[in-house]
Amino acid sequence: MAVGEAGAHAMGIAEGTKRDLDRRLARIRGQVGGIARMVEDERYCPDILQQFAAVHSALRSAEKELLMNHLERCATHAIAEGGDAAVRVREEIADLFMRFTGK
């Protein structure tokens, strides 16, 4: 089963991880709004680009946290189940690796 394919089973996001991601995403929304204001105010391009870099970094950090949740919960459970579920999750992990490393 490919990443995000219909029928994929999820164990859910750990409550603490969900709260942390909600906080991170709210902060990122604020940063993006700040970038929009900087563009509107015609601020110095390098200053705006610095804020883009900060948003990219924040998104990568949030991605990593969600990926760790997936590996600790969903993938570990599927591999422990064995059979087709284990095969699917190994393929999914390989797909995720390729997507996030750009290979």
Side-chain angles (χ1 to χ4, degrees):
M1 188 167 293
V3 175
E5 187 172 319
H9 180 68
M11 294 299 296
I13 300 173
E15 202 54 44
T17 300
K18 189 174 181 179
R19 280 191 307 273
D20 187 58
L21 286 171
D22 284 342
R23 281 192 299 271
R24 287 172 186 258
L25 292 171
R27 190 175 312 122
I28 291 166
R29 282 190 295 273
Q31 288 176 298
V32 170
I35 291 171
R37 287 187 297 279
M38 291 175 80
V39 169
E40 180 63 30
D41 294 343
E42 297 182 12
R43 296 275 302 272
Y44 189 53
C45 293
D47 292 343
I48 299 170
L49 290 167
Q50 179 61 43
Q51 293 307 308
F52 272 111
V55 169
H56 283 283
S57 178
L59 283 169
R60 281 190 300 274
S61 181
E63 286 173 343
K64 180 180 176 184
E65 184 164 357
L66 185 59
L67 178 59
M68 291 303 296
N69 177 86
H70 180 65
L71 293 173
E72 291 170 1
R73 296 173 61 90
C74 306
T76 300
H77 177 76
I79 290 169
E81 268 185 21
D84 288 343
V87 170
R88 282 192 306 270
V89 81
R90 282 192 298 269
E91 290 172 358
E92 178 183 75
I93 291 168
D95 288 345
L96 287 167
F97 177 77
M98 299 306 273
R99 182 182 299 173
F100 287 109
T101 60
K103 306 291 179 195

